[in-house]
């Protein structure tokens, strides 16, 4: 087999070394200039071919699958051939390049026409005058094959030292170029992934120099959507950070900064910041120290998490816990306190009925009755804001309620305040306690009156509202749904943010000592929440205040209930039925028994549930109604009622209670439709309720 060794264009070893040095400079310069990899490899091949005119160079790169070879550079090979070998699969008998990639070692084929490695591929090479091919794998630093560097000859040819040295040098340069370019590409991909991650975080990331006025070198785009500042604008002034921290929280940030400078440990702080539009947002700031560079001082890289919603939930939890604590206290004393009020009320009622209206003592009795009413109201307020009161829920038309309340406001609101009602047409219905709704409106109206000492305007407005996601974002705390909205607005002195954050706290008041209990708005909040509603406040100093109450609309054909103020109380009715009275308080039991007997009823009395069972077992006549306290020693009214109904199925039941919330007093709650008289109550009220229950078919 003829080798046909060709002549090299190199004059001597010294000129070859100079040529390779120039080749190194050319390739390395292109690498530093970040030229595209195909361009670098093509220049490498072209420079070699200039020095050695009898060879043709080719570089193939291995795909990520580790099998497929792709043409990367072959400036002098026929294009048709380069296209034919593009996609060549490496293997044990895949020409020079495919075999070199497979074996991970140099493969020298001196004669393509006869070498078995080219058996399946010689038809591709020979028509283009390619008769020899020496291929060397390009191995990366981790030992993996990155591709192959090959030289082709127009004649069969065996290796010589100079060309083998050339191939080794060229392969090394190609490896450097491939490693560097791929490393740069991986770095860019990593940076892109990091940037994408950073810019998708629901937080603000930053890089800044240490110090309260240290320059900020980077801030993520989220600063615009969260705080309202463009990144370029924020970076332009190093004082932006400290200037936008709430003045009350700056010491927190400064202390954290000082600790960070001293210890270089994790920077952590929570503080409030002002957004461009004036909103106050809570942030948790966490940062780490970056390695210092020669041209920069110490840098910190951190993340500002918007924790406003979390803080709001914390505040709501604290508020709820306060209400729960006071509610438990109120509920605990309500029973005994209301029983005492019941005794005072009943004795005073008896006394007042014996006195002529012109008797001086009659007025004293009226004052006692008013004091009892105020004391009972105070207890109900404590229970209302803690959501433990008894609600008598009915289908309501809020327009009708407001119409009645406006009449009452004439006695509460001075003439220098204009009261305006703006009822919406075709207003939806709500389920609510009419008496409590009236109390809510009156509380808000009285607050509005006190906020307008020099006069102003009080507006009561109703509206159907369909709260969507956008609306809910603008009315924080109002869930998505259909509501009837009741707005109470004034043109008074308004409130600052600090006051607004506390107005629903129990016992918080801005009024002078003795001018308020601090339970009015807490009561409003509790009533609204207990009726599954929401409340939202808008106020600014000097710009008045608006309270918006959202009550869920109901699809109910039930006729709307009349306002509590429209109920006309007739004279206490009488009766002849038999009533079983069960009450563990002797004084109350005696008063009620005597009153009912005077009204014509037959009264059986028992001191607790067990005593009642004994009496019923001995009594052979019908018992028309059970009048019982809910909670008593031994056996309470809730457990007693079903046992007595087994013996007297037609017996009606009317409960009395000094407690606030029957559901917490045992394993089973009272049915919501069960009539309950909340102590203290007027004896005339008892008579009317008895008659209502007895006459109910």
């Amino acid at each position: 087999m003829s080798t046909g060794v060709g002549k090299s264009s190199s004059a001597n070893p010294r000129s070859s070394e100079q040529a390779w040095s120039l080749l190194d400079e050319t390739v390395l310069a292109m690498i530093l200039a970040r030229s595209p990899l195909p361009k670098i490899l093509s220049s490498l091949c072209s420079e070699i071919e200039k020095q050695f005119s009898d060879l043709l160079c080719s570089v193939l790169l291995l795909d990520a699958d580790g099998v497929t070879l792709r043409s990367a550079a072959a400036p002098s090979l026929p294009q048709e051939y380069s296209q034919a070998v593009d996609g060549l699969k490496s293997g044990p008998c895949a020409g020079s390049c495919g075999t070199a990639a497979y074996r991970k070692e140099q493969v020298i084929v001196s004669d393509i026409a006869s070498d078995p490695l080219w058996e399946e591929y010689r038809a591709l090479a020979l028509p283009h005058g390619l008769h020899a091919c020496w291929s060397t794998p390009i191995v990366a630093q981790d030992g993996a094959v990155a591709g192959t560097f090959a030289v082709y000859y127009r004649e069969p040819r065996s290796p010589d030292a100079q060309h083998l040295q050339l191939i080794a040098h060229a392969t090394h340069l190609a490896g450097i170029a491939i490693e560097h370019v791929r490393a740069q590409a991986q770095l860019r991909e990593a940076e892109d992934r990091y940037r994408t991650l950073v810019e998708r975080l629901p937080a603000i990331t930053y890089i800044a120099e240490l110090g309260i006025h240290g320059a900020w070198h980077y801030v993520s785009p989220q600063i615009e959507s969260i705080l309202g500042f463009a990144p370029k604008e924020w970076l332009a002034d190093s004082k932006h950070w400290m200037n936008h921290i709430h003045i009350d929280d700056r010491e927190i940030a400064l202390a954290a900064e000082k600790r960070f400078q001293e210890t270089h440990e994790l920077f952590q702080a929570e503080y409030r910041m002002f957004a461009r539009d004036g909103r106050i947002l809570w942030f948790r700031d966490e940062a780490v120290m970056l390695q210092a560079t020669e041209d920069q001082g110490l840098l910190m890289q951190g993340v500002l998490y918007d924790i406003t919603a979390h803080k709001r939930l914390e505040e709501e939890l604290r508020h709820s816990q306060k209400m729960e604590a006071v509610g438990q206290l109120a509920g605990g004393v309500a029973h005994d306190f209301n029983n005492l009020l019941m005794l005072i009320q009943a004795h005073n009622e008896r006394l007042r009925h014996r006195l002529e209206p012109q008797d001086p003592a009659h007025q004293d009795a009226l004052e006692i009755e008013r004091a009892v009413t105020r004391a009972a109201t105070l207890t109900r307020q404590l229970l209302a804001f803690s959501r433990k009161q008894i609600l008598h829920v009915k289908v309501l038309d809020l327009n009708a309620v407001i119409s009645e309340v406006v009449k009452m406001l004439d006695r509460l609101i001075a003439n220098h305040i204009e009261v305006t009602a703006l009822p919406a047409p075709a207003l939806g219905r709500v389920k609510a306690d009419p008496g409590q709704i009236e109390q809510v409106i009156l509380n808000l109206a009285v607050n509005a009156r006190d906020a307008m000492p020099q006069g102003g305007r009080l507006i009561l407005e109703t509206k159907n509202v369909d709260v969507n996601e956008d609306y809910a974002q603008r009315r924080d705390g109002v869930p998505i749904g259909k509501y009837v909205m009741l707005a109470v607005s004034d043109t008074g002195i308004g409130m600052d943010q600090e006051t607004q954050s506390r107005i629903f706290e129990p016992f918080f008041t801005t009024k002078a000592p003795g001018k308020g209990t601090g339970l009015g708005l807490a009561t409003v909040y509790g009533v609204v929440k207990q009726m599954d509603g929401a409340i939202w406040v808008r106020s600014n100093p000097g710009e008045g205040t608006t309270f918006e109450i959202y009550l869920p609309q109901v699809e109910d054909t039930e006729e709307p209930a009349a306002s509590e103020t429209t109920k006309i109380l007739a004279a206490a009715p009488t009766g002849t039925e038999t009533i079983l009275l069960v009450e563990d308080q002797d004084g109350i039991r005696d008063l009620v028994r005597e009153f009912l007997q005077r009204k014509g009823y037959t009264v059986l009395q028992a001191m607790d549930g067990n005593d009642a069972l004994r009496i019923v077992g001995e009594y052979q006549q019908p018992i028309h109604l059970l009048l019982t306290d809910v909670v008593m020693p031994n056996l309470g009214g809730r457990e007693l009622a079903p046992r007595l109904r087994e013996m007297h199925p037609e017996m009606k039941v009317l409960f009395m209670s000094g407690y606030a919330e029957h559901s917490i007093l045992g394993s089973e709650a009272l049915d919501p439709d069960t009539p309950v008289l909340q102590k203290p109550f007027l004896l005339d009220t008892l008579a009317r309720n008895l008659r209502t229950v007895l006459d109910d078919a």
Side-chain angles (χ1 to χ4, degrees), residues 41-245:
L41 296 177
S42 184
S43 294
L44 170 64
C45 291
S46 296
E47 290 298 323
I48 293 174
E49 290 171 353
K50 288 178 184 178
Q51 299 298 322
F52 300 90
S53 58
D54 56 344
L55 57 81
L56 306 172
C57 296
S58 167
V59 178
L60 299 179
L61 297 180
L62 196 63
D63 269 355
D65 63 7
V67 176
T68 307
L69 290 163
R70 296 291 180 184
S71 180
S76 300
L77 281 176
Q79 186 175 1
E80 186 179 348
Y81 176 77
S82 296
Q83 291 175 347
V85 298
D86 185 41
L88 173 71
K89 304 295 183 181
S90 63
C93 191
S96 301
C97 295
T99 307
Y102 177 79
R103 294 179 181 175
K104 297 185 181 181
E105 62 183 27
Q106 189 178 57
V107 172
I108 296 176
V109 174
S110 300
D111 188 355
I112 292 176
S114 60
D115 197 300
L117 295 180
W118 279 83
E119 183 175 355
E120 296 182 13
Y121 303 99
R122 58 174 59 100
L124 297 176
L126 294 177
H128 296 288
L130 303 176
H131 290 274
C133 181
W134 309 347
S135 184
T136 305
I138 303 171
V139 181
Q141 289 183 355
D142 61 0
V145 174
T148 61
F149 179 84
V151 292
Y152 289 85
Y153 296 94
R154 297 290 186 184
E155 297 174 351
R157 177 166 182 164
S158 297
D160 61 63
Q162 186 181 31
H163 280 207
L164 289 176
Q165 188 178 7
L166 162 69
I167 293 172
H169 194 81
T171 303
H172 178 66
L173 280 176
I176 292 175
I178 293 170
E179 286 269 8
H180 183 81
V181 171
R182 287 184 173 176
Q184 290 295 319
Q186 291 172 355
L187 179 60
R188 285 194 298 272
E189 290 175 3
E191 288 175 346
D192 289 342
R193 287 195 299 270
Y194 176 75
R195 183 177 296 105
T196 300
L197 173 64
V198 164
E199 294 181 359
R200 288 183 179 178
L201 280 174
I204 301 169
T205 56
Y206 65 88
I207 297 175
E209 294 179 12
L210 284 180
I212 60 172
H213 296 313
W216 285 50
H217 295 276
Y218 170 79
V219 65
S220 63
Q222 291 93 320
I223 194 169
E224 188 159 10
S225 61
I226 296 176
L227 283 173
F229 296 93
K232 185 176 180 181
E233 178 185 9
W234 186 269
L235 296 175
D237 187 351
S238 61
K239 295 181 181 179
H240 268 316
W241 176 59
M242 186 54 64
N243 288 347
H244 284 88
I245 294 179

Side-chain angles (χ1 to χ4, degrees), residues 209 217 290-299:
E209 294 179 12
H217 295 276
L290 292 181
Q291 189 69 34
T293 60
E294 293 181 1
D295 58 339
Q296 292 177 333
L298 291 175
L299 295 178

